[in-house]
Amino acid sequence: MNKNESRIFDHNIVLIGFMGTGKTTVSEYLSTMFAMKIAEMDRMIEEREQMSIPDIFAVYGEEYFRNLETELLIELQGERNTVISCGGGAPMRERNVEEMKKNGRVVLLTASPEAVYERLKDADDRPVLNGRKNVEGIAALMEERRGKYEAAADIVIETDQKSVLEICEELVQRLTEMDE
Ligand code: S3P
């Protein structure tokens, strides 16, 4: 591994982006490619609470879930060599973005509302899409969130029409350039 490559791993990689932009798939690929650990925040929260995300939202409410995200992001600063895959709403809180940046390079994955709809149309585990799981509803929420996503991101990667390999190659190249 040359000097530039090794620098990528001085920071964790924090993947953010709207639901269905491929954060989980990309984190799994990066983990395999570079022997990095994965912290899949949604799964970690579900395991700790012993409840699914929809149940956490239904029983305790969204604010409770958002507080769990903040606590977990603070905890994950202690990790090294880790791909942190955030829930889609995590960067909506300024505090969360501050915590992500303390030990991570923040990578925003984007996709068109149509692509997100195609990926999520049969899923029933995204409570924030309840009542608006259609292209228009997704586009509106995406637009509402766009400013915060972009403000949080160190780099932005558009994912439509790209393979996971292409996305990861672009990601590594852009992170390497950032450190040059
Ligand atoms: C959410 C996204 C979900 C999950 C929760 C809320 C959001 O994560 O954290 O349902 O507000 O965008 P994914 O982006 O992994 O689907």
Side-chain angles (χ1 to χ4, degrees), residues 1-9 13 15 26 29-36 83 105 107 109 155-157 164-180:
M1 197 177 280
N2 72 31
K3 195 159 169 275
N4 284 342
E5 279 169 341
S6 70
R7 278 200 213 146
I8 298 166
F9 306 107
I13 296 175
L15 295 177
V26 169
Y29 208 90
L30 286 173
S31 151
T32 309
M33 260 175 127
F34 299 110
M36 297 178 82
V83 190
R105 295 292 196 212
V107 177
L109 301 181
I155 63 171
V156 183
I157 300 189
V164 63
L165 174 62
E166 288 170 324
I167 294 165
C168 291
E169 281 175 347
E170 189 176 330
L171 187 157
V172 170
Q173 190 187 341
R174 301 271 304 280
L175 285 182
T176 308
E177 284 166 5
M178 239 187 105
D179 282 331
E180 278 170 0

Side-chain angles (χ1 to χ4, degrees), residues 77-160:
Q77 284 163 16
E79 293 298 325
R80 294 289 177 275
N81 198 34
T82 300
V83 190
I84 300 170
S85 179
C86 297
M92 298 305 112
R93 267 195 190 180
E94 210 169 304
R95 172 81 195 278
N96 290 353
V97 176
E98 280 168 27
E99 302 303 338
M100 284 172 200
K101 286 186 174 292
K102 286 186 186 162
N103 180 31
R105 295 292 196 212
V106 181
V107 177
L108 170 62
L109 301 181
T110 66
S112 64
E114 290 77 9
V116 168
Y117 175 71
E118 272 310 307
R119 289 179 194 155
L120 297 185
K121 63 178 186 221
D122 299 323
D124 58 1
D125 57 353
R126 303 306 203 286
V128 294
L129 290 183
N130 287 349
R132 54 179 160 190
K133 206 165 65 178
N134 49 56
V135 173
E136 295 71 30
I138 288 169
L141 183 59
M142 224 180 232
E143 202 43 47
E144 203 180 299
R145 290 180 164 190
R146 180 198 301 276
K148 286 190 174 152
Y149 281 135
E150 289 178 354
D154 293 312
I155 63 171
V156 183
I157 300 189
E158 159 59 45
T159 65
D160 281 358

Side-chain angles (χ1 to χ4, degrees), residues 19 23-24 39-49 51-53 56-57 65-66 69 72 85-90 125-126:
M19 294 158 275
K23 300 178 296 278
T24 303
E40 168 74 38
M41 289 184 59
D42 287 343
R43 296 297 81 76
M44 290 174 83
I45 289 173
E46 286 182 325
E47 271 167 33
R48 288 174 181 194
E49 297 293 299
M51 266 174 129
S52 69
I53 305 267
I56 298 172
F57 270 67
F65 174 75
R66 300 298 175 197
E69 287 188 306
L72 184 53
S85 179
C86 297
D125 57 353
R126 303 306 203 286

